[in-house]
Amino acid sequence: MSATEKVGQRFQGLDQWSTPDILEALWGGQARAVSACLATLPALGRAVDDAAARIGDQGRLIYVGAGSSAVLAALDGLELPGTFSFPLTRVELVLAGIGDLRLGFDGSVEDAGDAGADRVRALSPGPADIVIGVSASGRSAFTVGALDVARAAGALTIGIASNEASPLLLAAEHPLFVDSGEEVIAGSTRLAAGTAQKLLLNLFSTALMVRLGGVYGNLMVNLQVNNVKLQARALDILRQITGADTGAAAQALADCDGALKPAALVVLRGLSPDAARAALAAAGDNLRRALE
């Protein structure tokens, strides 16, 4: 029996427990899953550095998953444009059996290895692309088939699973095994395994965006300013970077159409918005390099 399918003896009779005891058991499972991710950090770091070295300005992040894993993968990918201005055109979601979310998942598609392979093959993956497969059991034929095709095409492949030496981890160039352990509710991998998946996806994509110049210090200099809250945040970030007063910072942001990085160069280097954009382009869109 795989680790994610084990029936925990200490949780038998759970349905007869008090609500506080149920919640404490569930919390304990989540906490163990988070702690288990610590052992995966060295392998995760290698995956981040490898991805940063090859994605360039054209490579895509291609997320592959089925069921709950697919939803977690999609969530990670869809958050990147707003937080880091990573182009949505460079995020691909290859999700098994998900159409109208209100109708739930078609679980049978998870077993269709050819379907996953065909979906990724249609994207024509190449060496600059990063393909991230997520499966708690590591046995999703859809996800494994997708990674097989991607790796054969020269794309970088990353697999996240909670069963050691599972097919997904064997298929991936960067296997990320997280020992999230038995579930409080046997086999319900939306719990501990899902928490571990969400954490590793979040760590991977965030660290990758840092490596790609998506932050300056620990400030979100690539955020998309598309509402009042984010306008205020952008103004505050620009003031922290430049020391400018509110009026000067607001004017620089307005002149740069709300883009923080050229606005910082306008304030700190006295450049015009066009010259600031050119300086950023020459520095690979990295504000720290542009300021050197």
Side-chain angles (χ1 to χ4, degrees), residues 83-84 209-216 219-223 261:
T83 307
F84 300 108
M209 294 300 116
V210 172
R211 290 274 70 88
L212 296 178
V215 302
Y216 179 81
L219 300 174
M220 292 192 299
V221 290
N222 265 10
L223 83 165
K261 289 194 280 193

Side-chain angles (χ1 to χ4, degrees), residues 8-26 184:
Q9 296 301 309
R10 64 186 181 278
F11 303 122
Q12 290 191 353
L14 181 75
D15 61 326
Q16 297 176 305
W17 293 9
S18 69
T19 298
D21 287 344
I22 292 171
L23 291 174
E24 186 172 341
L26 292 171
V184 175

Side-chain angles (χ1 to χ4, degrees), residues 146-161:
L147 257 65
D148 283 340
V149 166
R151 190 167 184 178
L156 182 70
T157 54
I158 299 167
I160 299 175

Side-chain angles (χ1 to χ4, degrees), residues 2-4 133-141 143-144 147-148 151 159-172 175-178 197:
S2 65
T4 54
V134 189
S135 168
S137 69
R139 297 193 304 269
S140 166
T143 308
V144 174
L147 257 65
D148 283 340
R151 190 167 184 178
I160 299 175
S162 290
N163 282 313
E164 196 168 14
S166 55
L168 178 63
L169 297 181
L170 295 174
L176 303 179
F177 165 64
V178 55
Q197 291 171 3

Side-chain angles (χ1 to χ4, degrees), residues 163-223:
N163 282 313
E164 196 168 14
S166 55
L168 178 63
L169 297 181
L170 295 174
E173 185 174 348
H174 287 282
L176 303 179
F177 165 64
V178 55
D179 186 8
S180 54
E182 63 191 20
E183 300 286 0
V184 175
I185 298 175
S188 181
T189 53
R190 66 182 292 270
L191 296 172
T195 293
Q197 291 171 3
K198 175 68 169 67
L199 179 56
L200 291 182
L201 286 166
N202 203 322
L203 294 179
F204 170 78
S205 60
T206 302
L208 177 60
M209 294 300 116
V210 172
R211 290 274 70 88
L212 296 178
V215 302
Y216 179 81
N218 66 337
L219 300 174
M220 292 192 299
V221 290
N222 265 10
L223 83 165

